[in-house]
Amino acid sequence: MRLGSYILSLFLLIHVNVLAQTLEWFSSSTGYFYKIDFETNQLSRTKNGLPWSNLGVLSLENVEKADLISANYAVKEYKIENSDWAYLLISCTNQVYQINKKQLALKRIDETYYRGANCLSHTFYRNGILYSFGGYGFWTSTNILTKYNADGKEWLSIQAKGDVPPAITMGLTAYVPSRDRFITMGNHSVNDTDTRRQDLVDWNIYEYNFSTSEFVIQGSIELEEIKSFLEKDIARYYLFNGRYFFLLDKSGREKNYDTVYIIDVLDDFKTYCWKNTNRLVLEGAYTGNFDKALHINGDTLIWTNLSTQVSPNNVKNYRLMVNDVLREADYLGKLNQVPWYQSIIEGSFILVAIGFIVLAFFLFQKWKKKRLSKQLKIMLGENEKMLLDFLILNYTTGYISGHQIIAFFGKHKSSPESQRQFRAKMFENLTKSLRLLLGKDQILDVHTDEKDQRMFTYRLNPDVYQILKSL
C-alpha cells in the first residue's frame, strides 16, 4: 500500500462529520478506554470496549470545535506526575490538550495554528516534556524532532548530530524510559514528488541520546522474519511496553493475529516468535479497531474479543502475561545478527572475487610477457638478440669481457678498431631498445676490465635480468 493512500485512509477513519465529533483513546495509566462526544461534551469510559459508562459532562476551556477532528486511535494520553491531569495529543494536528477526569475538565493549552505536518509521528512524554519525532506530512516523510514548550505554548525544533535517520515514519519506534533513549528502525523514507524515493526502507537501528543530542547507529535489521514483516504492509501493528516490541502479524487472515514477534531492546535486541494457533481470535466490531482489540498494560497483553454470535454486550477479555508469551515463544536470534549462511555466502563471494583477481593478474602478466617477447624479436637485430642471450646465459657466472664478446661473435681476426666499433654499435642498439621496452634507464652494469684497462666488462642490471629471464 502506498503511504499517501494509507494517510488518506487514516484521515477518513479519524475524521467524521462535525456534528458527530468524538475522541476515543486507551489510557495505559488506568487501563480504561475513554470517549468524548463533543455534541454533548459527555465523557465515558469502558474497561472492555462495551458497554460505555457515563462519567459526566466535561467543562471546556479554549476548546474550539472547529479545530477538532474525530479520532479513535490517533489520540495519545500521557499522565502528568503527581497530578489528576493528563495530556491529550491528536495525530496530524500538533494540538495539545489537558484533561482531568475527576474534575471533568478539558482545556487546550497550546497556540498551534497548523496541522497536517506530523501525521504518524511518534509522541512520548519524558521528564515532564512532550516530544514528537518524525511523521509524514505534505506528501513526504520527515525526520523532524520537536518538543513542546509550555511557556511559549508552541512546539520547538531540536537539532541533532551524528547518524541522523533520513526519516522517522512507519517504522518501529519507542522511547525507552529505563535507558532514557529513543530507538527507531525500519523506517520508510517517502517522497511522492520523486519517483525514485516513493518508498525506501531504512534497515538501520538508530538510538538517540538526549544528553548529547546525538543519533548513533546500533547495527541494522538482519533477521529475515522481521524484514519481511516490515516490508509487506505499511499498515503494520506493534505495541511497546518499555522493554519489548510486540509485532502483530495478521498474515492475511481475516480474524486471527496468528503470529507475534517480540524484540527485547534491553537485551541486545534478542528476537522471539510466538504462535497464536487460533487461541485468540478477533471478531465482531473490534476487528477493524486495533487499539480496542489488542493493547498492553504493563506486563500483560490484553485481547478484547467481541463475538458476533452473542449479545453485543457480551465482551470477553483474554489476558496473557508477557513472561508466559516469552516462555512459549521460539528464539529467532538477535535482530542485528547476520544469518550464519550469509557469512559463508559473503566469504564465498570474496574467495571467488580473489580468485578472479589472481587469475586476471596471472593472465595479464602472461600477456605482458608474451607482448614484450614479441616486441624484443621485432626491435632487436640478430646480433643484439645473440648478445642479449649471451648476457642472460652468463649472468650467474659474473661479468663478461669485451674479448669474450668478440670471440663469441668470431670477430677476433678483425682489427682492434673494427672490434671496438662493432661492440659499441651493438651495445648502443641493445640498450636503446631495452630502455624503450622496459622503461629502465640503467640496462647494463659496466666496469673497467682489471686484466686489460683498455677494455670493459659487462653484465645486465639485476632488475633487467629478472624481467628478461622470465620471458
Side-chain angles (χ1 to χ4, degrees):
M1 183 190 295
R2 285 283 306 282
L3 188 55
S5 301
Y6 178 70
I7 296 297
L8 178 60
S9 301
L10 172 66
F11 181 77
L12 292 175
L13 283 171
I14 66 176
H15 183 70
V16 296
N17 189 282
V18 173
L19 296 178
Q21 284 176 326
T22 60
L23 294 181
E24 293 184 25
W25 71 94
F26 175 74
S27 172
S28 59
S29 62
T30 65
Y32 283 94
F33 292 99
Y34 291 90
K35 178 173 65 175
I36 302 174
D37 184 344
F38 284 103
E39 186 174 0
T40 61
N41 295 341
Q42 181 73 49
L43 176 65
S44 306
R45 77 176 183 183
T46 177
K47 194 71 173 180
N48 302 321
L50 284 177
W52 292 94
S53 61
N54 294 332
L55 298 180
V57 177
L58 288 170
S59 63
L60 305 184
E61 180 181 344
N62 296 327
V63 177
E64 297 292 337
K65 294 185 178 181
D67 293 334
L68 292 167
I69 60 175
S70 289
N72 57 10
Y73 62 84
V75 182
K76 301 298 180 183
E77 177 189 298
Y78 301 100
K79 180 74 169 60
I80 300 175
E81 298 89 344
N82 304 317
S83 170
D84 292 332
W85 291 87
Y87 289 107
L88 283 184
L89 300 181
I90 306 174
S91 180
C92 292
T93 68
N94 281 327
Q95 296 169 9
V96 182
Y97 295 87
Q98 285 185 347
I99 187 170
N100 190 316
K101 305 183 190 75
K102 291 185 177 180
Q103 298 179 14
L104 294 176
L106 176 71
K107 60 182 178 180
R108 182 177 172 183
I109 63 172
D110 71 288
E111 295 182 354
T112 301
Y113 63 90
Y114 56 88
R115 63 173 63 180
N118 69 332
C119 297
L120 307 177
S121 66
H122 183 79
T123 57
F124 56 97
Y125 188 54
R126 171 187 176 268
N127 295 341
I129 299 176
L130 293 170
Y131 292 83
S132 176
F133 281 13
Y136 177 93
F138 303 109
W139 300 276
T140 185
S141 57
T142 75
N143 61 356
I144 297 173
L145 313 180
T146 59
K147 64 180 179 180
Y148 181 70
N149 178 263
D151 294 331
K153 299 181 179 181
E154 187 58 276
W155 292 89
L156 302 179
S157 175
I158 302 173
Q159 291 186 327
K161 57 187 177 181
D163 306 314
V164 180
I168 304 174
T169 303
M170 293 307 300
L172 302 179
T173 303
Y175 170 64
V176 186
S178 62
R179 296 187 60 237
D180 193 28
R181 294 290 189 272
F182 173 79
I183 294 176
T184 184
M185 66 189 83
N187 290 293
H188 285 247
S189 182
V190 181
N191 185 334
D192 283 357
T193 303
D194 188 347
T195 57
R196 297 167 300 177
R197 288 187 54 219
Q198 287 189 342
D199 192 0
L200 301 176
V201 182
D202 180 4
W203 298 117
N204 288 322
I205 302 171
Y206 299 91
E207 183 177 280
Y208 178 73
N209 187 324
F210 288 87
S211 61
T212 62
S213 300
E214 183 177 14
F215 278 100
V216 177
I217 293 177
Q218 303 291 335
S220 62
I221 299 175
E222 299 291 348
L223 279 180
E224 290 300 326
E225 293 88 347
I226 304 304
K227 294 181 76 170
S228 176
F229 173 87
L230 295 176
E231 280 182 323
K232 66 184 178 181
D233 191 359
I234 288 179
R236 65 184 63 90
Y237 302 125
Y238 72 89
L239 301 169
F240 185 73
N241 74 337
R243 173 168 183 170
Y244 300 102
F245 279 112
F246 297 89
L247 283 57
L248 302 136
D249 189 359
K250 197 171 182 178
S251 299
R253 301 191 182 189
E254 294 182 358
K255 298 181 179 180
N256 180 25
Y257 288 86
D258 62 340
T259 303
V260 178
Y261 295 109
I262 307 162
I263 302 172
D264 188 347
V265 302
L266 297 184
D267 191 8
D268 210 11
F269 296 99
K270 290 181 179 177
T271 304
Y272 308 84
C273 177
W274 180 80
K275 293 293 185 179
N276 188 348
T277 61
N278 294 317
R279 285 178 292 178
L280 300 174
V281 179
L282 306 183
E283 295 181 334
Y286 288 175
T287 57
N289 191 327
F290 175 74
D291 270 3
K292 287 183 181 178
L294 181 60
H295 57 276
I296 190 165
N297 191 3
D299 290 331
T300 306
L301 285 170
I302 304 173
W303 267 260
T304 299
N305 186 349
L306 193 69
S307 175
T308 58
Q309 303 301 320
V310 295
S311 167
N313 292 336
N314 188 355
V315 178
K316 297 179 181 179
N317 265 3
Y318 297 89
R319 297 173 181 271
L320 282 175
M321 297 300 295
V322 171
N323 288 338
D324 293 335
V325 174
L326 286 171
R327 187 174 59 254
E328 296 178 6
D330 295 323
Y331 178 62
L332 299 180
K334 295 179 181 178
L335 184 64
N336 54 359
Q337 175 180 305
V338 177
W340 64 269
Y341 56 83
Q342 186 170 330
S343 58
I344 296 177
I345 293 174
E346 291 176 353
S348 300
F349 274 120
I350 292 174
L351 290 176
V352 170
I354 292 174
F356 273 117
I357 293 173
V358 171
L359 179 61
F361 180 77
F362 172 77
L363 293 176
F364 178 69
Q365 293 298 321
K366 187 175 181 180
W367 172 80
K368 283 180 62 178
K369 291 177 182 180
K370 187 176 181 180
R371 180 169 172 260
L372 178 58
S373 180
K374 185 177 180 180
Q375 290 175 329
L376 285 173
K377 291 179 180 179
I378 295 173
M379 296 186 66
L380 296 180
E382 290 300 321
N383 287 339
E384 286 78 13
K385 291 178 186 177
M386 292 175 63
L387 175 61
L388 184 58
D389 290 340
F390 188 62
L391 290 169
I392 294 173
L393 183 63
N394 289 276
Y395 179 83
T396 57
T397 61
Y399 291 85
I400 60 174
S401 66
H403 295 293
Q404 289 175 297
I405 294 172
I406 293 300
F408 176 73
F409 283 95
K411 299 290 185 177
H412 54 280
K413 294 182 179 180
S414 302
S415 65
E417 181 60 24
S418 178
Q419 293 176 7
R420 186 191 66 77
Q421 291 180 357
F422 175 76
R423 286 194 308 270
K425 185 65 174 177
M426 190 166 50
F427 275 113
E428 181 183 4
N429 292 338
L430 177 65
T431 53
K432 283 183 178 179
S433 298
L434 292 181
R435 283 174 184 158
L436 181 63
L437 293 174
L438 304 181
K440 301 285 187 181
D441 292 330
Q442 191 68 27
I443 301 299
L444 296 174
D445 190 4
V446 182
H447 294 279
T448 304
D449 193 337
E450 295 178 357
K451 297 180 181 179
D452 187 348
Q453 296 297 313
R454 299 171 302 169
M455 304 290 286
F456 294 98
T457 58
Y458 306 89
R459 194 185 190 192
L460 287 171
N461 182 281
D463 293 339
V464 174
Y465 169 74
Q466 294 297 330
I467 294 173
L468 295 176
K469 79 166 186 175
S470 65
L471 298 180

